[in-house]
Amino acid sequence: MTPPSRTHLVLIPSYNTGPRLADTVTAALAQWSPVWVVVDGSTDGCDEAVRTLAAQDPRLRVITRPTNGGKGAAVATGVTAAHAAGFTHVLTMDADGQHPADHIAPFMAASQAQLAALILGRPVFGPEVPLERLHGRKLSVGLAYLEILGAGIDDPLFGFRVYPVAALARAFTTTRRARGFDFDPEVAVRLFWAGVPTVNLPAPCRYLAKNDGGVSHFHYLRDNLKLIWLHTRLLSQLLWRWPQIRRRRRRATS
């Protein structure tokens, strides 16, 4: 068994994920250690199985938030704890089984090869993906392209990523938002603005039907309105950031 990493850990935020959480944690542990789970105020008892597993496996840690704050809030809690423990990088993956555990090691290797970089997943969807989700992502991809004045973020919504801990912690201090569903696109853009290099790697993404144990807390009206407000804010801030971003792009190509 490979010794646990002292620098890179897998961070899994979870809210009412049901039995999928234990399956995801088990799959992640088979590929990497340590693995940390942040239980974000869950009320469905999904954390009981992983607590039992953590009591038997020192590679697994469970952190509990007393109330639900959203994905970004859960990641922020985990990042704060990871930084305090001396970890430099976290790979985030969803708790519901959409993200590929067998891609953890290649993503970690890419991070270890470029420690300053944000390693972003570019989702490869199967035929089961809902068309409204697929087309909706195209708008977010286009808006992110505008917000960073070009390429660099292939998919701002896909949460399978490796973050440099210090850079992500700083990004959280630049906004009071990015604590819910808007976390993934906002921090990707803000890290790019901050000068963090990006590496985009393909990774399969699967959508699980409810009959297969799939879990989704996405609310179409509420969360789409939140994304509209997010991109409105980012585009408005671009008005005074664009000279800095253009200088960065010129340096990268010179």
Side-chain angles (χ1 to χ4, degrees):
M1 183 180 298
T2 304
S5 173
R6 295 184 178 181
T7 58
H8 289 60
L9 65 83
V10 174
L11 183 64
I12 304 176
S14 174
Y15 172 67
N16 287 356
T17 323
R20 278 288 168 188
L21 174 59
D23 294 340
T24 299
V25 170
T26 300
L29 282 169
Q31 302 294 328
W32 193 266
S33 68
V35 173
W36 289 9
V37 177
V38 180
V39 179
D40 187 29
S42 292
T43 58
D44 67 346
C46 64
D47 55 315
E48 294 177 4
V50 293
R51 292 187 191 283
T52 299
L53 182 59
Q56 303 167 352
D57 192 337
R59 301 175 302 157
L60 175 62
R61 178 181 176 184
V62 179
I63 300 172
T64 302
R65 289 174 45 87
T67 58
N68 176 245
K71 178 180 180 179
V75 172
T77 296
V79 164
T80 299
H83 190 261
F87 288 94
T88 58
H89 294 76
V90 297
L91 180 148
T92 57
M93 64 184 297
D94 288 355
D96 59 3
Q98 287 192 11
H99 293 165
D102 60 354
H103 279 54
I104 291 174
F107 271 58
M108 293 298 204
S111 174
Q112 290 164 339
Q114 300 187 59
L115 293 174
L118 166 63
I119 311 300
L120 293 163
R122 181 175 66 249
V124 179
F125 294 106
E128 79 284 353
V129 60
L131 289 180
E132 63 272 17
R133 289 287 189 95
L134 193 59
H135 294 310
R137 298 183 87 93
K138 294 179 180 178
L139 177 59
S140 289
V141 169
L143 289 171
Y145 187 92
L146 289 175
E147 288 153 5
I148 65 172
L149 301 180
I153 300 174
D154 287 359
D155 191 299
L157 295 174
F158 194 49
F160 190 76
R161 303 170 172 176
V162 186
Y163 292 99
V165 164
L168 180 55
R170 287 193 296 271
F172 275 122
T173 67
T174 66
T175 177
R176 290 179 294 177
R177 306 201 182 259
R179 301 303 191 270
F181 180 78
D182 53 354
F183 162 75
D184 289 315
E186 178 155 359
V187 296
V189 170
R190 289 190 177 277
L191 286 170
F192 188 95
W193 284 352
V196 175
T198 58
V199 175
N200 293 271
L201 299 177
C205 178
R206 59 176 182 162
Y207 277 85
L208 298 169
K210 287 186 177 180
N211 292 339
D212 297 322
V215 178
S216 176
H217 300 297
F218 183 82
H219 187 285
Y220 277 91
L221 178 60
R222 178 198 65 202
D223 290 325
N224 277 316
L225 287 174
K226 184 178 289 188
L227 287 175
I228 291 171
W229 174 234
L230 161 67
H231 289 296
T232 300
R233 289 189 290 107
L234 293 178
L235 287 170
S236 66
Q237 292 181 36
L238 179 63
L239 294 175
W240 56 270
R241 289 182 180 272
W242 71 267
Q244 171 189 355
I245 300 171
R246 285 178 62 88
R247 285 196 298 271
R248 174 192 169 182
R249 288 194 172 277
R250 283 198 296 266
R251 288 196 300 268
T253 57
S254 61

